[in-house]
DNA sequence: CTACGATGTCATCACTCGTTGACATCAAGC
DNA sequence: GCTTGATGTCAACGAGTGATGACATCGTAG
C-alpha cells in the first residue's frame, strides 16, 4: 500500500506488482475452488480468471495445493467467531454463505474425495470447531445426553439441506426463501438439539 | 444361460467369454464408481479390479461414460419398490446401503459436479421418485402444509447425515450404531415430516 | 546512466487420462 | 487342417494436467 505515485483517486496501473498478482490469484482461486472444487479447477483457469500467468502460482504459492490451502485459510480467517443461540442459526449462516458464492473451498474439501487427506482433515477440523463444538457445549451445560453425537448429526443434516439447496437437487428446495427454510428447520432441529434453557 | 458344466454335449467352460468379461467390468465399475465417483475412477483401475483389459471397456460399453450409465442403471434396477411407514426409514435404507458399499453411483452423481448434466439429472429423478415422492404423498393425504418442500428438506437432511457418516466427517457420527442414529433422527424428522395418522 | 534484483512471459517437460487400432490367440465350422 | 470370426493383449496417440526453468522486461538503487 505504498504510494503508487500517480494521480490521486485512480489507482495507478500496477503492471508489475507482486502483491497485487498474488492477491488476484488468491481471489480467483477462492471463487473457482468454491464453485468447482479442487480437482476440477485448473491452474490455467485460475490464471485466466486472475489475468495473471499461471506460472506465478508456483512462484507465489509453491503449488496448486498450497494455493488451495491458502484459499481455505482465507475463508477460515474471514469468519469471525460466532455464537449460535439456536441450532438453526447454523443453517442460516451456512445457507447465506452458499447463496452468495457456492459451497466454498472448505465444504468442497469436506465432501469431495479427490482432495488430499491433509486438506480434508484441515477442513473437517474447521467445521468441527465452528459448528459442532458450539452446539455440543451448549448441550453439555444443559446436561443433554449424547451431546456430541447430536451436534454432529445436526450439522451433517444442515449441511445436507444447504448442499441440496445450493446444488439444485430438488425442485422446491433450491427456490424457497432462505428464511422460510430456516424456520422449517428450526422446529425440527429443536428435537435433535434441545436448545439451551439458561 | 445354458448349463456350462462338464457335460461333453454342452458348451465348454468359458476361458474366453465376452459376457463374463463384460459382467466383471460392470461389477468392478459399480464398486469403484460407488466409492470414488466418476472422475476419480480410471479405466485402468476398473480393468485391474475386474482382471480384464481396460481396452475392453471401449469394446463392450463404448466409453467410460457409457459404462457409468450402465452401472447406474444396474443400481436403479436392483432397488425394489418400497413404501416408507416413517420418514426415518429412508435414513435406515440409505445408511444400510452406504454401510455396505459406499454412496453408490447414483448419490455420487448427484453430489459431485464433475459428472455430465445428463447423468446428474437422471440420478436426481431417481432420488425424487424413490424418496421424496413417497413422503410427499403421505403428507398430502394427511393435509400437511408445504408437503413437497418438507419432503425435499427431509431427504436432503437424511442425505447429509448419511453422507457425513459414510465419509467420516466427524468423530462419533461415523462410528455410532446405525439403528441408534436412526432412532435419534426419528424424533427430529417427525417434526419436519409429520407422520401419517391413518 | 548502468547494473541488478524483482516481476512477468513463454516454451516445454513429465505425467496421466481415455481411446484407438494393430496384432495375437483361441474356438469352432467347412 | 485350415480358415474365419470372436475375444484378449498391447503399444501408442492426442489431449489435458501441474510444474519448471530459461529468458524478457520493468523499477530502481548505486
Amino acid at each position: 500500500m505504498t504510494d503508487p505515485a500517480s494521480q490521486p483517486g485512480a489507482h495507478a496501473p500496477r503492471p508489475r506488482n507482486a502483491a497485487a498478482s498474488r492477491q488476484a490469484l488468491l481471489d480467483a482461486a477462492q471463487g473457482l475452488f468454491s464453485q468447482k472444487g479442487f480437482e476440477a479447477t485448473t491452474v490455467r483457469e485460475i490464471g485466466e480468471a486472475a489475468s495473471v500467468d499461471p506460472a506465478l502460482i508456483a512462484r507465489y504459492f509453491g503449488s496448486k495445493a498450497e494455493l488451495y490451502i491458502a484459499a481455505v485459510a482465507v475463508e477460515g480467517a474471514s469468519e469471525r467467531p460466532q455464537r449460535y443461540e439456536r441450532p438453526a442459526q447454523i443453517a442460516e449462516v451456512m445457507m447465506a454463505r452458499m447463496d452468495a458464492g457456492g459451497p466454498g473451498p472448505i465444504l468442497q474439501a469436506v465432501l469431495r474425495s479427490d482432495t488430499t487427506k491433509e486438506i480434508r482433515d484441515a477442513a473437517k477440523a474447521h467445521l468441527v470447531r465452528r459448528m459442532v463444538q458450539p452446539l455440543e457445549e451448549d448441550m453439555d451445560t444443559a446436561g443433554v445426553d449424547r451431546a456430541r453425537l447430536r451436534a454432529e448429526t445436526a450439522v451433517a443434516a444442515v449441511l445436507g439441506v444447504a448442499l441440496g439447496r445450493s446444488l439444485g437437487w430438488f425442485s422446491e428446495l433450491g427456490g424457497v426463501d432462505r428464511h422460510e427454510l430456516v424456520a422449517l428447520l428450526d422446529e425440527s432441529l429443536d428435537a435433535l438439539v434441545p436448545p439451551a434453557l439458561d
Side-chain angles (χ1 to χ4, degrees), chain A residues 145-160:
Chain A
D145 189 40
R146 285 300 230 162
R148 176 59 181 242
L149 177 61
R150 286 173 183 271
E152 291 182 357
T153 306
V155 171
V158 167
L159 233 104

Side-chain angles (χ1 to χ4, degrees), chain A residues 2 12-13 32-33 47 54 57 70 77 83-84 99-100 113 133 135-136 150 155 157 175 183 189-190:
Chain A
T2 61
L32 287 172
F33 284 146
I57 291 177
R83 182 131 200 96
Y84 304 101
D99 285 354
S113 48
Q133 280 183 356
L135 285 183
E136 182 190 9
R150 286 173 183 271
V155 171
L189 286 177
D190 277 357

Side-chain angles (χ1 to χ4, degrees), chain A residues 4 13 44-45 120 122 154 168 191:
Chain A
R44 288 172 173 84
E45 275 181 302
R120 226 168 31 240

Side-chain angles (χ1 to χ4, degrees), chain A residues 1 8 15 18 40 54 58 116 128 143 181:
Chain A
M1 294 305 174
T116 312
V128 167
L181 188 53

